[in-house]
Amino acid sequence: MRRLYYLADELHVCQQVERSLRECGLRDSDFHVVSRDEIGLYQHRIHSATAYQRLDVVPAGERWALTGAAVGALVGLFAMTVQPLAWPIDGLTVLLLILVGALFGAWRGALIGLSRDCYKIARFADDLAAGRHLLMVDVNDRNRSRVRALMSVRFPSVAFCGRDSTLIGPFAADPAR
């Protein structure tokens, strides 16, 4: 599936777009809005984007889990080679250190990700801060052109801002973060 991004200036326009997309055959789960006006989204009964779509929780958690697993593996292999403790360190201990490192890393990364926007919507930060609303429409190959045509004909004030995959990868984030 692909995600189409649009920017709108008014919440009532987002509500009209949502109604039109529903009439076009899209489900409620295929349309989400990111806005700084969460109360307005609630009052207009517009589907707000989920935390998974808005925040960097999952990608950061995955990156940190891999980092924690690598650190656990290095510590475990070092301890298995040097044998610094009174009891022998074997492969099971190394596996446990890898697991503990991965779990700690995932927890730490998820906490960090809660404080950042997802890399897919971070490029719209200035528009969102200016009071605009980001519409995310998930489409498949069958209805992509139909949705694009509907949006350009019925909602010319809503600006098309690009398309992307609906998948969120752990290493696709901006390396400057």
Side-chain angles (χ1 to χ4, degrees), residues 9-78:
D9 292 324
E10 303 291 330
L11 278 176
H12 73 277
V13 173
C14 295
Q15 191 175 31
Q16 293 170 354
V17 168
E18 184 175 16
R19 261 190 243 120
S20 295
L21 290 174
R22 210 178 289 127
E23 291 169 4
C24 188
L26 268 69
R27 299 169 300 183
D28 289 341
S29 61
D30 294 332
F31 177 84
H32 301 281
V33 177
V34 178
S35 175
R36 299 290 185 238
D37 185 9
E38 290 290 328
I39 294 171
L41 290 176
Y42 178 76
Q43 290 173 340
H44 284 83
R45 294 180 181 88
I46 298 172
H47 287 92
S48 178
T50 64
Y52 175 75
Q53 294 165 329
R54 286 184 295 111
L55 301 174
D56 196 37
V57 175
V58 174
E62 290 172 343
R63 285 190 304 270
W64 279 78
L66 291 173
T67 303
V71 169
L74 289 174
V75 168
L77 291 174
F78 176 76

Short mmCIF file of all heavy atoms in Angstrom, two decimals, residues 9-78:
data_model
loop_
_atom_site.label_atom_id
_atom_site.label_comp_id
_atom_site.label_asym_id
_atom_site.label_seq_id
_atom_site.Cartn_x
_atom_site.Cartn_y
_atom_site.Cartn_z
N ASP A 9 -5.72 23.61 5.05
CA ASP A 9 -5.66 24.75 5.96
C ASP A 9 -6.77 24.73 7.01
O ASP A 9 -6.62 25.31 8.07
CB ASP A 9 -5.75 26.06 5.18
CG ASP A 9 -4.51 26.29 4.33
OD1 ASP A 9 -3.41 25.93 4.78
OD2 ASP A 9 -4.64 26.83 3.22
N GLU A 10 -7.89 24.08 6.72
CA GLU A 10 -9.05 24.11 7.60
C GLU A 10 -9.51 22.71 7.97
O GLU A 10 -9.46 21.79 7.15
CB GLU A 10 -10.22 24.84 6.90
CG GLU A 10 -9.90 26.25 6.47
CD GLU A 10 -9.73 27.19 7.65
OE1 GLU A 10 -10.37 26.96 8.70
OE2 GLU A 10 -8.95 28.15 7.53
N LEU A 11 -9.97 22.55 9.20
CA LEU A 11 -10.44 21.25 9.65
C LEU A 11 -11.75 20.84 8.98
O LEU A 11 -11.99 19.66 8.73
CB LEU A 11 -10.63 21.24 11.17
CG LEU A 11 -9.36 21.00 11.97
CD1 LEU A 11 -9.65 21.12 13.47
CD2 LEU A 11 -8.75 19.67 11.66
N HIS A 12 -12.61 21.80 8.66
CA HIS A 12 -13.86 21.43 8.00
C HIS A 12 -13.59 20.87 6.60
O HIS A 12 -14.33 20.03 6.11
CB HIS A 12 -14.86 22.60 7.97
CG HIS A 12 -14.50 23.68 7.02
ND1 HIS A 12 -13.62 24.68 7.31
CD2 HIS A 12 -14.92 23.90 5.74
CE1 HIS A 12 -13.49 25.49 6.28
NE2 HIS A 12 -14.27 25.05 5.30
N VAL A 13 -12.51 21.30 5.98
CA VAL A 13 -12.13 20.73 4.68
C VAL A 13 -11.68 19.27 4.88
O VAL A 13 -12.03 18.39 4.08
CB VAL A 13 -11.02 21.57 4.01
CG1 VAL A 13 -10.51 20.90 2.75
CG2 VAL A 13 -11.52 22.97 3.71
N CYS A 14 -10.93 19.02 5.94
CA CYS A 14 -10.51 17.64 6.24
C CYS A 14 -11.73 16.75 6.45
O CYS A 14 -11.75 15.60 6.01
CB CYS A 14 -9.63 17.61 7.49
SG CYS A 14 -8.06 18.46 7.33
N GLN A 15 -12.74 17.29 7.12
CA GLN A 15 -13.96 16.53 7.35
C GLN A 15 -14.67 16.22 6.02
O GLN A 15 -15.15 15.11 5.81
CB GLN A 15 -14.88 17.33 8.28
CG GLN A 15 -16.04 16.58 8.81
CD GLN A 15 -16.81 17.43 9.81
OE1 GLN A 15 -16.87 18.66 9.69
NE2 GLN A 15 -17.41 16.78 10.79
N GLN A 16 -14.71 17.19 5.11
CA GLN A 16 -15.33 16.97 3.80
C GLN A 16 -14.54 15.94 2.99
O GLN A 16 -15.11 15.10 2.31
CB GLN A 16 -15.42 18.29 3.04
CG GLN A 16 -16.38 19.27 3.65
CD GLN A 16 -16.26 20.65 3.03
OE1 GLN A 16 -15.39 20.91 2.20
NE2 GLN A 16 -17.15 21.55 3.42
N VAL A 17 -13.21 16.03 3.07
CA VAL A 17 -12.36 15.06 2.37
C VAL A 17 -12.64 13.66 2.91
O VAL A 17 -12.78 12.70 2.14
CB VAL A 17 -10.87 15.42 2.52
CG1 VAL A 17 -9.98 14.28 2.06
CG2 VAL A 17 -10.55 16.69 1.76
N GLU A 18 -12.73 13.53 4.22
CA GLU A 18 -12.99 12.23 4.82
C GLU A 18 -14.32 11.65 4.32
O GLU A 18 -14.39 10.47 3.96
CB GLU A 18 -13.00 12.34 6.34
CG GLU A 18 -13.17 11.01 7.04
CD GLU A 18 -13.05 11.13 8.55
OE1 GLU A 18 -13.13 12.24 9.08
OE2 GLU A 18 -12.85 10.09 9.19
N ARG A 19 -15.36 12.47 4.28
CA ARG A 19 -16.66 12.01 3.77
C ARG A 19 -16.56 11.57 2.32
O ARG A 19 -17.09 10.53 1.93
CB ARG A 19 -17.69 13.12 3.91
CG ARG A 19 -18.55 12.96 5.12
CD ARG A 19 -19.72 13.91 5.14
NE ARG A 19 -19.54 14.78 6.29
CZ ARG A 19 -19.43 16.09 6.26
NH1 ARG A 19 -19.52 16.75 5.14
NH2 ARG A 19 -19.24 16.76 7.36
N SER A 20 -15.88 12.36 1.51
CA SER A 20 -15.74 12.03 0.09
C SER A 20 -14.95 10.75 -0.12
O SER A 20 -15.30 9.94 -0.99
CB SER A 20 -15.06 13.18 -0.66
OG SER A 20 -15.87 14.33 -0.63
N LEU A 21 -13.92 10.56 0.66
CA LEU A 21 -13.12 9.33 0.52
C LEU A 21 -13.92 8.11 0.97
O LEU A 21 -13.78 7.03 0.39
CB LEU A 21 -11.83 9.45 1.33
CG LEU A 21 -10.81 10.45 0.77
CD1 LEU A 21 -9.64 10.59 1.72
CD2 LEU A 21 -10.33 10.03 -0.60
N ARG A 22 -14.75 8.28 1.98
CA ARG A 22 -15.61 7.18 2.41
C ARG A 22 -16.60 6.83 1.30
O ARG A 22 -16.85 5.65 1.04
CB ARG A 22 -16.33 7.57 3.69
CG ARG A 22 -16.62 6.38 4.56
CD ARG A 22 -17.29 6.73 5.88
NE ARG A 22 -16.40 7.40 6.80
CZ ARG A 22 -16.67 8.57 7.38
NH1 ARG A 22 -17.80 9.18 7.14
NH2 ARG A 22 -15.82 9.12 8.20
N GLU A 23 -17.17 7.83 0.64
CA GLU A 23 -18.08 7.60 -0.48
C GLU A 23 -17.36 6.93 -1.65
O GLU A 23 -17.96 6.19 -2.41
CB GLU A 23 -18.71 8.92 -0.94
CG GLU A 23 -19.66 9.52 0.05
CD GLU A 23 -20.05 10.96 -0.31
OE1 GLU A 23 -19.62 11.45 -1.39
OE2 GLU A 23 -20.78 11.58 0.48
N CYS A 24 -16.06 7.21 -1.76
CA CYS A 24 -15.24 6.64 -2.83
C CYS A 24 -14.88 5.17 -2.56
O CYS A 24 -14.35 4.50 -3.43
CB CYS A 24 -13.97 7.49 -2.97
SG CYS A 24 -12.93 7.12 -4.36
N GLY A 25 -15.18 4.70 -1.34
CA GLY A 25 -14.94 3.30 -1.02
C GLY A 25 -13.80 3.05 -0.06
O GLY A 25 -13.51 1.89 0.26
N LEU A 26 -13.15 4.08 0.44
CA LEU A 26 -12.09 3.89 1.41
C LEU A 26 -12.68 3.67 2.80
O LEU A 26 -13.74 4.20 3.12
CB LEU A 26 -11.15 5.09 1.43
CG LEU A 26 -9.93 4.99 0.51
CD1 LEU A 26 -10.36 5.06 -0.94
CD2 LEU A 26 -8.93 6.05 0.83
N ARG A 27 -11.99 2.90 3.60
CA ARG A 27 -12.42 2.64 4.98
C ARG A 27 -11.91 3.76 5.88
O ARG A 27 -11.00 4.49 5.53
CB ARG A 27 -11.88 1.31 5.46
CG ARG A 27 -12.37 0.13 4.64
CD ARG A 27 -11.61 -1.09 5.01
NE ARG A 27 -10.19 -0.80 4.72
CZ ARG A 27 -9.19 -1.65 4.86
NH1 ARG A 27 -9.42 -2.83 5.31
NH2 ARG A 27 -7.97 -1.31 4.57
N ASP A 28 -12.48 3.83 7.07
CA ASP A 28 -12.03 4.84 8.04
C ASP A 28 -10.57 4.65 8.42
O ASP A 28 -9.87 5.60 8.71
CB ASP A 28 -12.89 4.78 9.30
CG ASP A 28 -14.30 5.29 9.06
OD1 ASP A 28 -14.51 5.99 8.06
OD2 ASP A 28 -15.19 4.98 9.87
N SER A 29 -10.11 3.41 8.41
CA SER A 29 -8.73 3.13 8.80
C SER A 29 -7.72 3.54 7.72
O SER A 29 -6.52 3.49 7.95
CB SER A 29 -8.57 1.65 9.12
OG SER A 29 -8.87 0.87 7.97
N ASP A 30 -8.20 3.96 6.56
CA ASP A 30 -7.31 4.38 5.47
C ASP A 30 -7.07 5.89 5.45
O ASP A 30 -6.40 6.39 4.56
CB ASP A 30 -7.89 3.96 4.11
CG ASP A 30 -7.94 2.46 3.94
OD1 ASP A 30 -7.11 1.77 4.56
OD2 ASP A 30 -8.81 1.98 3.20
N PHE A 31 -7.64 6.61 6.39
CA PHE A 31 -7.56 8.07 6.39
C PHE A 31 -7.24 8.54 7.80
O PHE A 31 -7.93 8.20 8.75
CB PHE A 31 -8.91 8.64 5.93
CG PHE A 31 -8.97 10.13 5.96
CD1 PHE A 31 -8.47 10.87 4.91
CD2 PHE A 31 -9.51 10.80 7.04
CE1 PHE A 31 -8.52 12.25 4.94
CE2 PHE A 31 -9.56 12.17 7.07
CZ PHE A 31 -9.07 12.90 6.02
N HIS A 32 -6.17 9.34 7.93
CA HIS A 32 -5.77 9.88 9.23
C HIS A 32 -5.28 11.30 9.04
O HIS A 32 -4.74 11.65 8.00
CB HIS A 32 -4.65 9.04 9.85
CG HIS A 32 -5.04 7.61 10.05
ND1 HIS A 32 -5.81 7.21 11.09
CD2 HIS A 32 -4.77 6.51 9.34
CE1 HIS A 32 -6.01 5.91 11.02
NE2 HIS A 32 -5.38 5.46 9.95
N VAL A 33 -5.44 12.09 10.09
CA VAL A 33 -5.01 13.49 10.05
C VAL A 33 -4.06 13.73 11.22
O VAL A 33 -4.32 13.32 12.34
CB VAL A 33 -6.21 14.45 10.14
CG1 VAL A 33 -5.76 15.89 10.18
CG2 VAL A 33 -7.16 14.23 8.97
N VAL A 34 -2.96 14.42 10.91
CA VAL A 34 -2.03 14.87 11.93
C VAL A 34 -2.22 16.37 12.05
O VAL A 34 -2.15 17.09 11.04
CB VAL A 34 -0.57 14.56 11.56
CG1 VAL A 34 0.38 15.09 12.62
CG2 VAL A 34 -0.37 13.07 11.37
N SER A 35 -2.48 16.83 13.26
CA SER A 35 -2.73 18.25 13.48
C SER A 35 -2.30 18.60 14.89
O SER A 35 -2.36 17.77 15.80
CB SER A 35 -4.21 18.56 13.28
OG SER A 35 -4.49 19.90 13.60
N ARG A 36 -1.92 19.83 15.09
CA ARG A 36 -1.62 20.31 16.44
C ARG A 36 -2.91 20.61 17.20
O ARG A 36 -2.91 20.75 18.40
CB ARG A 36 -0.74 21.57 16.39
CG ARG A 36 0.60 21.36 15.73
CD ARG A 36 1.51 20.50 16.57
NE ARG A 36 2.82 20.41 15.96
CZ ARG A 36 3.40 19.28 15.61
NH1 ARG A 36 2.79 18.13 15.82
NH2 ARG A 36 4.60 19.26 15.07
N ASP A 37 -4.03 20.67 16.48
CA ASP A 37 -5.34 20.95 17.07
C ASP A 37 -6.08 19.64 17.33
O ASP A 37 -7.03 19.30 16.63
CB ASP A 37 -6.14 21.86 16.13
CG ASP A 37 -7.46 22.30 16.72
OD1 ASP A 37 -7.71 22.06 17.91
OD2 ASP A 37 -8.27 22.89 15.96
N GLU A 38 -5.66 18.91 18.35
CA GLU A 38 -6.29 17.62 18.68
C GLU A 38 -7.74 17.80 19.11
O GLU A 38 -8.58 16.96 18.81
CB GLU A 38 -5.50 16.91 19.78
CG GLU A 38 -4.15 16.40 19.34
CD GLU A 38 -4.24 15.22 18.39
OE1 GLU A 38 -5.19 14.43 18.48
OE2 GLU A 38 -3.35 15.09 17.55
N ILE A 39 -8.04 18.88 19.79
CA ILE A 39 -9.41 19.13 20.22
C ILE A 39 -10.31 19.36 19.00
O ILE A 39 -11.43 18.85 18.94
CB ILE A 39 -9.46 20.33 21.20
CG1 ILE A 39 -8.73 19.97 22.49
CG2 ILE A 39 -10.90 20.73 21.49
CD1 ILE A 39 -8.52 21.13 23.43
N GLY A 40 -9.80 20.10 18.03
CA GLY A 40 -10.56 20.32 16.81
C GLY A 40 -10.82 19.02 16.05
O GLY A 40 -11.90 18.83 15.49
N LEU A 41 -9.84 18.14 16.02
CA LEU A 41 -10.03 16.84 15.36
C LEU A 41 -11.15 16.07 16.06
O LEU A 41 -12.00 15.46 15.42
CB LEU A 41 -8.73 16.03 15.39
CG LEU A 41 -7.60 16.50 14.50
CD1 LEU A 41 -6.36 15.65 14.74
CD2 LEU A 41 -8.00 16.47 13.05
N TYR A 42 -11.14 16.10 17.37
CA TYR A 42 -12.16 15.40 18.14
C TYR A 42 -13.54 16.02 17.90
O TYR A 42 -14.52 15.31 17.70
CB TYR A 42 -11.80 15.42 19.63
CG TYR A 42 -12.83 14.77 20.51
CD1 TYR A 42 -12.93 13.39 20.58
CD2 TYR A 42 -13.72 15.54 21.25
CE1 TYR A 42 -13.88 12.78 21.37
CE2 TYR A 42 -14.67 14.94 22.05
CZ TYR A 42 -14.76 13.57 22.11
OH TYR A 42 -15.70 12.97 22.89
N GLN A 43 -13.62 17.34 17.93
CA GLN A 43 -14.90 18.02 17.74
C GLN A 43 -15.47 17.80 16.34
O GLN A 43 -16.68 17.71 16.17
CB GLN A 43 -14.75 19.52 18.01
CG GLN A 43 -14.52 19.83 19.47
CD GLN A 43 -14.19 21.29 19.71
OE1 GLN A 43 -13.78 22.02 18.80
NE2 GLN A 43 -14.37 21.72 20.95
N HIS A 44 -14.62 17.71 15.34
CA HIS A 44 -15.08 17.48 13.96
C HIS A 44 -15.22 15.99 13.65
O HIS A 44 -15.55 15.62 12.54
CB HIS A 44 -14.11 18.13 12.97
CG HIS A 44 -14.25 19.61 12.88
ND1 HIS A 44 -13.63 20.46 13.77
CD2 HIS A 44 -14.93 20.39 12.01
CE1 HIS A 44 -13.92 21.70 13.44
NE2 HIS A 44 -14.71 21.69 12.39
N ARG A 45 -14.90 15.14 14.62
CA ARG A 45 -14.97 13.67 14.47
C ARG A 45 -14.11 13.19 13.29
O ARG A 45 -14.53 12.37 12.47
CB ARG A 45 -16.41 13.21 14.30
CG ARG A 45 -17.24 13.43 15.53
CD ARG A 45 -18.66 12.96 15.32
NE ARG A 45 -19.46 13.18 16.50
CZ ARG A 45 -20.13 14.31 16.74
NH1 ARG A 45 -20.06 15.31 15.90
NH2 ARG A 45 -20.84 14.43 17.84
N ILE A 46 -12.91 13.70 13.26
CA ILE A 46 -11.95 13.33 12.21
C ILE A 46 -10.97 12.32 12.80
O ILE A 46 -10.52 12.48 13.94
CB ILE A 46 -11.20 14.57 11.69
CG1 ILE A 46 -12.19 15.55 11.07
CG2 ILE A 46 -10.13 14.17 10.70
CD1 ILE A 46 -11.57 16.89 10.71
N HIS A 47 -10.64 11.30 12.04
CA HIS A 47 -9.71 10.27 12.51
C HIS A 47 -8.31 10.86 12.67
O HIS A 47 -7.67 11.21 11.69
CB HIS A 47 -9.67 9.09 11.54
CG HIS A 47 -10.88 8.25 11.61
ND1 HIS A 47 -11.96 8.46 10.80
CD2 HIS A 47 -11.20 7.22 12.41
CE1 HIS A 47 -12.90 7.59 11.09
NE2 HIS A 47 -12.47 6.83 12.06
N SER A 48 -7.86 10.91 13.89
CA SER A 48 -6.52 11.38 14.19
C SER A 48 -5.52 10.26 13.91
O SER A 48 -5.86 9.08 14.01
CB SER A 48 -6.44 11.80 15.65
OG SER A 48 -5.16 12.22 15.98
N ALA A 49 -4.32 10.62 13.56
CA ALA A 49 -3.28 9.63 13.33
C ALA A 49 -2.94 8.94 14.65
O ALA A 49 -2.99 9.55 15.72
CB ALA A 49 -2.04 10.29 12.75
N THR A 50 -2.59 7.69 14.56
CA THR A 50 -2.22 6.93 15.76
C THR A 50 -0.81 7.32 16.21
O THR A 50 -0.05 7.94 15.45
CB THR A 50 -2.26 5.43 15.46
OG1 THR A 50 -1.27 5.12 14.48
CG2 THR A 50 -3.63 4.98 14.98
N ALA A 51 -0.48 6.94 17.43
CA ALA A 51 0.87 7.21 17.94
C ALA A 51 1.91 6.51 17.07
O ALA A 51 3.01 7.01 16.88
CB ALA A 51 0.98 6.75 19.38
N TYR A 52 1.57 5.34 16.56
CA TYR A 52 2.47 4.60 15.67
C TYR A 52 2.78 5.41 14.41
O TYR A 52 3.90 5.38 13.91
CB TYR A 52 1.83 3.27 15.30
CG TYR A 52 2.59 2.47 14.28
CD1 TYR A 52 3.75 1.80 14.64
CD2 TYR A 52 2.16 2.36 12.97
CE1 TYR A 52 4.45 1.05 13.72
CE2 TYR A 52 2.86 1.62 12.04
CZ TYR A 52 4.00 0.96 12.42
OH TYR A 52 4.69 0.23 11.51
N GLN A 53 1.81 6.16 13.92
CA GLN A 53 2.01 6.96 12.72
C GLN A 53 2.65 8.31 13.02
O GLN A 53 3.34 8.86 12.17
CB GLN A 53 0.66 7.19 12.02
CG GLN A 53 0.06 5.92 11.48
CD GLN A 53 -1.40 6.09 11.13
OE1 GLN A 53 -2.12 6.87 11.73
NE2 GLN A 53 -1.84 5.34 10.13
N ARG A 54 2.43 8.85 14.20
CA ARG A 54 2.92 10.19 14.52
C ARG A 54 4.30 10.21 15.17
O ARG A 54 5.06 11.14 14.97
CB ARG A 54 1.96 10.88 15.50
CG ARG A 54 0.69 11.36 14.90
CD ARG A 54 -0.17 12.13 15.89
NE ARG A 54 -0.64 11.28 16.99
CZ ARG A 54 -0.23 11.39 18.25
NH1 ARG A 54 0.61 12.30 18.60
NH2 ARG A 54 -0.69 10.57 19.18
N LEU A 55 4.61 9.19 15.96
CA LEU A 55 5.82 9.22 16.76
C LEU A 55 6.86 8.22 16.26
O LEU A 55 6.55 7.30 15.52
CB LEU A 55 5.48 8.94 18.23
CG LEU A 55 4.50 9.91 18.87
CD1 LEU A 55 4.12 9.45 20.26
CD2 LEU A 55 5.07 11.32 18.90
N ASP A 56 8.08 8.39 16.73
CA ASP A 56 9.22 7.57 16.31
C ASP A 56 9.42 6.37 17.24
O ASP A 56 10.52 5.85 17.33
CB ASP A 56 10.47 8.46 16.29
CG ASP A 56 11.60 7.86 15.52
OD1 ASP A 56 11.35 7.21 14.49
OD2 ASP A 56 12.76 8.02 15.94
N VAL A 57 8.37 5.92 17.91
CA VAL A 57 8.50 4.87 18.94
C VAL A 57 9.04 3.56 18.36
O VAL A 57 10.03 3.01 18.86
CB VAL A 57 7.15 4.63 19.63
CG1 VAL A 57 7.24 3.48 20.60
CG2 VAL A 57 6.71 5.89 20.36
N VAL A 58 8.40 3.06 17.32
CA VAL A 58 8.78 1.74 16.80
C VAL A 58 10.16 1.77 16.12
O VAL A 58 11.01 0.94 16.43
CB VAL A 58 7.68 1.20 15.85
CG1 VAL A 58 8.12 -0.08 15.18
CG2 VAL A 58 6.40 0.98 16.64
N PRO A 59 10.42 2.71 15.20
CA PRO A 59 11.75 2.70 14.58
C PRO A 59 12.88 2.91 15.58
O PRO A 59 13.91 2.23 15.52
CB PRO A 59 11.70 3.86 13.58
CG PRO A 59 10.26 4.06 13.29
CD PRO A 59 9.55 3.70 14.55
N ALA A 60 12.70 3.82 16.53
CA ALA A 60 13.74 4.05 17.54
C ALA A 60 13.90 2.83 18.43
O ALA A 60 15.02 2.44 18.77
CB ALA A 60 13.40 5.28 18.37
N GLY A 61 12.79 2.20 18.79
CA GLY A 61 12.86 0.98 19.60
C GLY A 61 13.60 -0.14 18.88
O GLY A 61 14.40 -0.86 19.47
N GLU A 62 13.35 -0.27 17.58
CA GLU A 62 14.04 -1.31 16.80
C GLU A 62 15.54 -1.02 16.69
O GLU A 62 16.36 -1.93 16.84
CB GLU A 62 13.42 -1.42 15.41
CG GLU A 62 12.02 -2.00 15.42
CD GLU A 62 11.34 -1.92 14.07
OE1 GLU A 62 11.79 -1.14 13.19
OE2 GLU A 62 10.34 -2.64 13.88
N ARG A 63 15.87 0.24 16.42
CA ARG A 63 17.30 0.59 16.31
C ARG A 63 18.03 0.34 17.63
O ARG A 63 19.12 -0.24 17.65
CB ARG A 63 17.45 2.06 15.90
CG ARG A 63 17.15 2.34 14.45
CD ARG A 63 17.56 3.75 14.05
NE ARG A 63 16.95 4.79 14.86
CZ ARG A 63 15.79 5.38 14.61
NH1 ARG A 63 15.08 5.00 13.57
NH2 ARG A 63 15.34 6.33 15.38
N TRP A 64 17.43 0.79 18.73
CA TRP A 64 18.07 0.62 20.02
C TRP A 64 18.10 -0.84 20.45
O TRP A 64 19.02 -1.27 21.16
CB TRP A 64 17.39 1.49 21.06
CG TRP A 64 17.86 2.92 21.00
CD1 TRP A 64 17.47 3.87 20.10
CD2 TRP A 64 18.81 3.53 21.84
NE1 TRP A 64 18.11 5.04 20.36
CE2 TRP A 64 18.95 4.87 21.42
CE3 TRP A 64 19.56 3.09 22.93
CZ2 TRP A 64 19.80 5.76 22.04
CZ3 TRP A 64 20.40 3.98 23.55
CH2 TRP A 64 20.53 5.30 23.11
N ALA A 65 17.10 -1.63 20.06
CA ALA A 65 17.12 -3.06 20.38
C ALA A 65 18.28 -3.74 19.69
O ALA A 65 18.97 -4.58 20.29
CB ALA A 65 15.79 -3.72 19.96
N LEU A 66 18.52 -3.40 18.44
CA LEU A 66 19.67 -3.97 17.73
C LEU A 66 20.99 -3.54 18.36
O LEU A 66 21.91 -4.35 18.50
CB LEU A 66 19.62 -3.58 16.26
CG LEU A 66 18.49 -4.21 15.45
CD1 LEU A 66 18.43 -3.61 14.05
CD2 LEU A 66 18.67 -5.72 15.38
N THR A 67 21.06 -2.29 18.77
CA THR A 67 22.27 -1.79 19.44
C THR A 67 22.48 -2.52 20.77
O THR A 67 23.59 -2.95 21.09
CB THR A 67 22.17 -0.27 19.67
OG1 THR A 67 21.96 0.37 18.42
CG2 THR A 67 23.42 0.27 20.33
N GLY A 68 21.40 -2.66 21.54
CA GLY A 68 21.50 -3.36 22.82
C GLY A 68 21.89 -4.82 22.65
O GLY A 68 22.69 -5.36 23.44
N ALA A 69 21.36 -5.47 21.61
CA ALA A 69 21.73 -6.86 21.35
C ALA A 69 23.20 -6.97 20.99
O ALA A 69 23.90 -7.90 21.42
CB ALA A 69 20.86 -7.44 20.25
N ALA A 70 23.69 -6.03 20.19
CA ALA A 70 25.10 -6.05 19.81
C ALA A 70 26.00 -5.84 21.03
O ALA A 70 27.02 -6.53 21.19
CB ALA A 70 25.38 -4.97 18.76
N VAL A 71 25.63 -4.91 21.90
CA VAL A 71 26.42 -4.68 23.11
C VAL A 71 26.36 -5.92 24.01
O VAL A 71 27.39 -6.35 24.55
CB VAL A 71 25.91 -3.43 23.87
CG1 VAL A 71 26.53 -3.33 25.26
CG2 VAL A 71 26.21 -2.17 23.07
N GLY A 72 25.19 -6.53 24.14
CA GLY A 72 25.07 -7.75 24.92
C GLY A 72 25.93 -8.87 24.36
O GLY A 72 26.55 -9.63 25.11
N ALA A 73 25.98 -8.97 23.03
CA ALA A 73 26.81 -10.01 22.40
C ALA A 73 28.30 -9.76 22.67
O ALA A 73 29.05 -10.69 22.99
CB ALA A 73 26.54 -10.06 20.90
N LEU A 74 28.72 -8.50 22.54
CA LEU A 74 30.13 -8.18 22.79
C LEU A 74 30.52 -8.45 24.24
O LEU A 74 31.57 -9.05 24.51
CB LEU A 74 30.41 -6.72 22.43
CG LEU A 74 30.40 -6.38 20.95
CD1 LEU A 74 30.54 -4.88 20.74
CD2 LEU A 74 31.51 -7.13 20.23
N VAL A 75 29.67 -8.02 25.17
CA VAL A 75 29.96 -8.26 26.59
C VAL A 75 29.97 -9.75 26.88
O VAL A 75 30.86 -10.27 27.57
CB VAL A 75 28.93 -7.52 27.48
CG1 VAL A 75 29.03 -7.98 28.93
CG2 VAL A 75 29.12 -6.02 27.37
N GLY A 76 29.00 -10.48 26.33
CA GLY A 76 28.93 -11.92 26.56
C GLY A 76 30.12 -12.66 25.98
O GLY A 76 30.70 -13.54 26.64
N LEU A 77 30.51 -12.32 24.76
CA LEU A 77 31.67 -12.98 24.14
C LEU A 77 32.96 -12.64 24.87
O LEU A 77 33.83 -13.50 25.06
CB LEU A 77 31.76 -12.63 22.66
CG LEU A 77 30.64 -13.21 21.79
CD1 LEU A 77 30.74 -12.66 20.37
CD2 LEU A 77 30.69 -14.72 21.80
N PHE A 78 33.07 -11.38 25.31
CA PHE A 78 34.24 -10.99 26.08
C PHE A 78 34.30 -11.77 27.40
O PHE A 78 35.34 -12.31 27.78
CB PHE A 78 34.23 -9.48 26.35
CG PHE A 78 35.35 -9.03 27.23
CD1 PHE A 78 36.64 -8.91 26.72
CD2 PHE A 78 35.14 -8.74 28.57
CE1 PHE A 78 37.69 -8.51 27.54
CE2 PHE A 78 36.18 -8.34 29.39
CZ PHE A 78 37.46 -8.22 28.87
#
